[in-house]
């Protein structure tokens, strides 16, 4: 066997170490970093800044201190650094400086990010812009910055400048906690996942035939009875008003508005099973019927009978009755209590798939819902079917299926949230081999979910009519956080980009390369994502 000299081994090891370092060191070309959503403009300076334990974080004013603390908390687990945080209006070397500036062009959510070899500066017109600048900054570091345990550095990022602001005001996701119930901690994790991609709205589907998920103090059986089960017959669950407020506050800390939805006048069996006086003859489908504690008790004095509970997935068979005045007392109480604990401006009243409600009754319902929501100081949102009612510019319509209803809403001067099911429903399967999800709206591979323009989706509907984009995740087949993540990722970043980045700058062939870089970031964050073969994932 031939022997090698000691100097040869020394040189070989040195070359290996240099090769390894070159692989781990990020590019010094800021324009090559795979930021999602795509930024409006970027200028590379060709050098790098190194984050060390000696770097300080400065906020210009005391009221920005929560943002500084957030940044410290995001950087500490992977780096192990105890970065100092203080208030200073003056920029200094070896700092990350956050400040507000007067720049109308940035709007409420835009930001400027400047990186030099000496330090980093993020400036914005509003705190939300600083938060989104921080999300971009996180994506400039190596992927291991997102790990929850200490990792080896060094922590370099490329120098240059970024100027960025969103196209649409509404960039949202919807989570159905009614078909299957998800804990407060699950919802908080989803908030963190969507805020990373600069989404600013989380729509919570809080009631459906299978479960009622929000405490209403004036109607307590809604949760004790209506919240007691879910699809498949599990134990269900609900949020107390205190827990809901905790979710709302956590979302606000990530600049996300919570939009609560109570689905009316259909999708309502969980309420009918809780209070017999609301039931006007709804018949629960045999498959999925579950005996309720109330229907197991004798009904005295000719009182209306509560329905059985429901654990199946059929839709369109339940309804409130317009001729029962108790119905409107119930609705007003629910809307009043939820409005009182929802600081955001919106209440979503559902309104979809009300096949068991006569059309003339449905229109009466929508008109009364509109007045009720307005009386509680909120803006009403509903699925596109509400366009049949007397709506106006003070109502927001969520498009999911019918071009006719979307066009009718625009004719009545309502603004639209674009959630076309065949493009944006996260509960649709990726392809025929996907085990989770449904396929009634078609398969949605990652490219199909990305390649559409909200402003050209419906004939006659332009960007001026559109408030924004939302990606709903219905939970008929989803039972835990891993399954939520598998259906949401990697499609959700694409919807975030559709909402943020101008349509003319978006291109699938370019985007898929940036998305491929994000696989490592998703793994570092512990996201159980679908590794689509259409995406060139970086190893």
């Amino acid at each position: 066997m031939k022997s090698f000299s000691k100097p040869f081994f020394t040189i070989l090891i040195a070359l290996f170490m240099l090769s390894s370092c070159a692989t781990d060191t990020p590019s010094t070309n800021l324009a090559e970093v795979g930021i999602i959503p795509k930024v409006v403009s970027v200028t590379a300076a060709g050098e790098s800044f190194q984050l060390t334990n000696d770097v300080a974080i400065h906020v210009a004013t005391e009221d920005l201190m929560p943002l500084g603390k957030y940044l410290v908390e995001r950087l500490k687990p992977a780096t192990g650094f105890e970065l100092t945080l203080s208030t200073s209006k003056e920029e200094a070397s070896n700092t990350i400086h956050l400040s507000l500036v007067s720049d109308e062009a940035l709007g409420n959510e835009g930001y400027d990010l400047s990186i030099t070899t000496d330090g980093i500066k993020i400036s914005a017109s509003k705190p939300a812009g600083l938060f989104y600048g921080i999300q971009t900054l996180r994506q400039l570091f190596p992927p291991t910055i997102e790990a929850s345990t200490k990792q080896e550095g060094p922590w370099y990022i490329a120098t240059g400048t970024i100027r960025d602001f969103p196209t649409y005001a509404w960039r949202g996701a919807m989570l159905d906690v009614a078909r299957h119930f998800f804990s407060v901690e699950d919802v908080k994790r989803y908030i963190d996942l969507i805020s990373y991609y600069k989404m600013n709205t989380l729509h919570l589907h809080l009631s459906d035939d299978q479960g009622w998920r929000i405490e209403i103090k004036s109607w307590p059986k809604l949760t004790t009875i209506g919240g007691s089960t879910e699809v498949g017959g599990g134990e269900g669950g609900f949020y107390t008003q205190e827990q809901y407020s905790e979710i709302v506050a956590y979302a606000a800390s990530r600049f996300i508005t919570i939009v609560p939805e109570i689905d009316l006048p259909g999708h309502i069996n969980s309420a009918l099973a809780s209070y017999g006086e609301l039931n006007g003859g709804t018949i629960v489908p045999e498959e999925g019927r579950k005996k309720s504690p109330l229907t197991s008790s004798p009904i005295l004095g000719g009182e209306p009978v509560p329905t059985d509970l429901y654990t199946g997935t059929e839709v369109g068979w339940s309804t409130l009755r317009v001729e029962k005045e108790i119905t409107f007392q119930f609705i007003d109480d629910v809307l009043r209590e939820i409005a009182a604990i929802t600081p955001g401006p919106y209440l979503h009243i559902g309104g979809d798939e009300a096949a068991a409600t006569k059309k003339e009754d449905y229109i009466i319902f929508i008109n009364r819902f509109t007045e009720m929501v307005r009386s509680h100081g909120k803006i009403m949102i509903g699925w596109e079917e509400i366009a049949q009612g007397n709506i106006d510019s003070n109502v927001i319509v969520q498009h999911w299926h019918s071009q006719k209803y979307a066009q009718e809403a625009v004719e009545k001067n309502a603004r639209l949230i674009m959630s076309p099911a065949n493009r944006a429903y996260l509960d649709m399967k990726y392809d025929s081999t996907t085990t989770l999800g449904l396929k009634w709206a078609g398969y949605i591979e990652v490219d199909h979910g990305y390649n559409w323009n909200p402003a050209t989706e419906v004939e006659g509907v332009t960007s001026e009519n559109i408030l924004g984009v939302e990606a709903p995740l219905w939970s008929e087949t989803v039972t835990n956080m891993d399954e939520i993540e598998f259906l949401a990722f990697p499609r959700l970043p694409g919807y975030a980009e559709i909402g943020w980045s101008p349509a003319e700058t978006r291109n699938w062939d370019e985007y898929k390369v940036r998305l491929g870089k994000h696989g490592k970031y998703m793994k570092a964050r512990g996201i159980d994502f679908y590794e689509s073969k259409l995406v060139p994932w970086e190893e």
Side-chain angles (χ1 to χ4, degrees), residues 195-211:
S195 67
Y196 182 78
Y197 292 104
K198 304 184 179 75
M199 284 185 162
N200 63 3
T201 308
L202 179 60
H203 167 185
L204 290 176
H205 185 73
L206 292 168
S207 71
D208 214 297
D209 292 316
Q210 300 87 350

Side-chain angles (χ1 to χ4, degrees), residues 57-59 64-73 85 98 134:
I57 296 178
H58 289 173
V59 295
L64 298 179
M65 192 61 75
L67 284 165
K69 290 179 179 177
Y70 171 84
L71 180 55
V72 170
E73 291 169 358
L85 173 63
L98 309 180
I134 289 172

Side-chain angles (χ1 to χ4, degrees), residues 126-186:
K126 300 289 183 180
L130 294 178
F131 180 80
Y132 298 132
I134 289 172
Q135 306 318 307
T136 295
L137 179 63
R138 292 169 66 183
Q139 295 183 25
L140 301 181
F141 283 104
T144 47
I145 197 72
E146 296 301 325
S148 58
T149 57
K150 192 174 184 303
Q151 306 292 308
E152 291 298 321
W155 305 102
Y156 287 103
I157 61 174
T159 56
T161 58
I162 291 172
R163 185 169 175 83
D164 201 17
F165 44 83
T167 297
Y168 289 110
W170 187 291
R171 305 176 307 281
M174 189 216 79
L175 183 60
D176 172 10
V177 298
R179 270 54 176 271
H180 281 99
F181 179 68
F182 300 99
S183 70
V184 171
E185 292 308 311
D186 285 340

